[in-house]
Each structure stands twice: as C-alpha cells, then as structure tokens.
Amino acid sequence: MHKSIHLSLAAIFLLPALALAQESVPATQSPALAPRPAYTPVPTPTDGRIHLDVTVTDRPGKPIPGLELSDFTLKDNNLPTKILSFQAFDASVQKDAHPAEVIILLDAVNEGFQTVARSREGVSNFLRQNGGHLAQPVSVFAFTDAGVKVLIQPSMDGNAMAAQLDQADAGLRIIGKSAQYGGIDRFELSLKWVAQLGKSEIKRPGRKLLIWAGPGWPLLDRVSFEMTNKEEQLLFNSIVDISTTLREARMSLYSVSLGDPHLGTYIYQDYLKGIKTVDKAIPPDLGLKVLATQTGGRVLPPDNDLGAQIATCVQDTSAFYAVSFDPPPADKANEYHDLKVEIDKPGLVARTNTGYYNQTQSPARSGGVAK
C-alpha cells in the first residue's frame, strides 16, 4: 500500500503506545480503578517466560478438553520449542474454579443509537440464557465518548445482570461527540481505550475474553498515508505495545456484531501477518478483527442474533490450556516471532497468540525476556 495522503498521524499513533498509557482518568471511567470482586483464577507468574492460553477445538469450533502435554507441539518461528509448563482447564470437572472471566463491551462510539440499543438487547438475551445461570463470571462494560466504564461488575447471576443492564440503558442513550466523529477520530479513541483496558487488566490474574459488541473502529484500509519516519516508528511502537499488553494481560479479543455479511466483512484477513519492520506498518494492522485473530480470539461474521454470537465466544472458557516457554535470545529489540501450536490428533485446531515481540534484555514488563 502506498502512503500518499498528507495527514499528521503522530498524535494518533503516539496515543495508544505512549501518552495514553500514562494518562490519568477518573475512577468512574477507568476499569483499573473500579472495584472488581475477586474470583479464583490461576495467577500468571512473573518469570520472564512467554505465557499462552490455547483453545483447542474440533472443526465445528467446539472446545476439546482432556488433552495432555504430549499432544501439543509449540513452534516459535517454525522451530519446535520446549513447553515448560502446562495446565489443562475443564469447566465440567473444575466446577468451583473460574480460571477465565468474560468481559462484554458495548461499543457506543462506532455504532449508531438504534444499533447500540439492539446490541444491548442481544447482551441481555445472552445473560438470560440457561435460566440466567452463567458458567463463568461475566462483566459488562460500556465504551462511550467519555471512555470505558464498568456497567455491571463480574457476576454469574445472568438474570440479575440483565435487570441491571436494562436500568443502565439510559446511560447508553446519550448521543455525544461520537455522532460527529470521523473515521480517524474513532480509530484514535478506540485504540486509546483498548490500550487502557489491557493495561488495567495486566495485574489481574486469569484469562480474560473481551467480547467487543460492535463492528469495531474503521479499518482505514481505503486510505493511504504519507508518514514521516518518526510517525512510522510511532505506529510500529503502537503495534508492539498493544500486542504485548494484550498478551501479558492474558486477554483475547472477540468480535461480534449485528447485521449481515458484506463485501467488507473479510477485508481484515489481508492484514493478519505479524509486522516485523517499521516500514511495513500501516493503520489496518491495528484493526479490531486483526487484533482478535492475533490474540487467539474469534471473529464471528455479523448476524441478527447477538446473544448466540456471544454464547459461541463464551464456550471457549469451557476448556482451554495454559502453556509457557522461554523465548530464544533476541538479536534486536522488538524482534517479531511467529507462534503456532499444533495438536497431534486429527481434526483438531489450536488457537492462541499468533506471535510476540521478543526483547534483547529484561523489560519492566512481566514477560518477553530471553533467558
């Protein structure tokens, strides 16, 4: 893609990776500052290893429990890598343990008023399924012009949550600046809060499924950009920062939305390869569906049953595996590595992070260290 339009992008790409990560926000907006009831996940050790959550499914997409370490092959840049730790989670057996938490986010920035109201109804329908008995803790967030805030704290009482969501609907009916935002503005605002949300969850243990109810921010795939070397570097830094943050937070993104599939539904698939060098980075590399795929989540095509889409995503909590490995020594900072997990049983497919950025020395973060 040519980068040929005159536009100052420094502010956009600086925000998610640098300035916004340090920004102070009110407690009513910040998931990091909002009280969150405790649950019982397995903590993520700060041992310098790369930690991955792996969902193994059959071809229709049903998670498969009961696998053993010997069934797994982990490849780093296509080279087999020793798995140093292995844990299997099966909700049907570990009924009192909740190693995963579900966050449903209602996007009122990138959706119109009527669609947001229908999305809220879809979330409510999901919460009331199975008599309102949820298998894992679920919380509901709202993304508005004011930022991201917790609408409903984690709970497994779907009926009570649905009643709360009905009462909270008034807060989603405010039509603010988002009605006037252009594509780049929504791109900027959305990435800001993805970064904030990920950073707020890093110290909270356990796996998180962030189910984004809405089509996501503009992919900006039809726009070409003329960027200075500095702006290219800032964009690449943002890609590294968000990728690393979501992995360290053990957060997988899931994309669900109302509507019908159209010509643009699968454009994101053109941007799924990991970005290895600064000069290859372009804005679509930070699309919602791109991040969802790269974090081991799922992208469901739009349809008119949002509750069923959410239920499909949530079933990933019923069985999954946590593995870790030591990354090899890196030759340079932000050295991109492809990741792949293969299962030694026919008909099974593994989903996990598709890559990571290795470092030459121990960073302030919890992972990504060459040992």
Side-chain angles (χ1 to χ4, degrees), residues 171-193:
L172 294 173
R173 292 179 179 273
I174 299 173
I175 300 178
K177 295 178 182 178
S178 60
Q180 304 172 10
Y181 279 174
I184 292 177
D185 296 310
R186 289 184 284 119
F187 180 92
E188 171 190 340
L189 192 63
S190 300
L191 285 176
K192 163 186 174 176
W193 286 101

Side-chain angles (χ1 to χ4, degrees), residues 118-120 122-123 213 256-258 303-311:
R118 290 178 58 210
S119 294
R120 184 203 57 76
V123 173
V256 299
S257 59
L258 292 168
D303 67 31
N304 292 310
D305 191 343
L306 193 71
Q309 290 183 69
I310 295 172

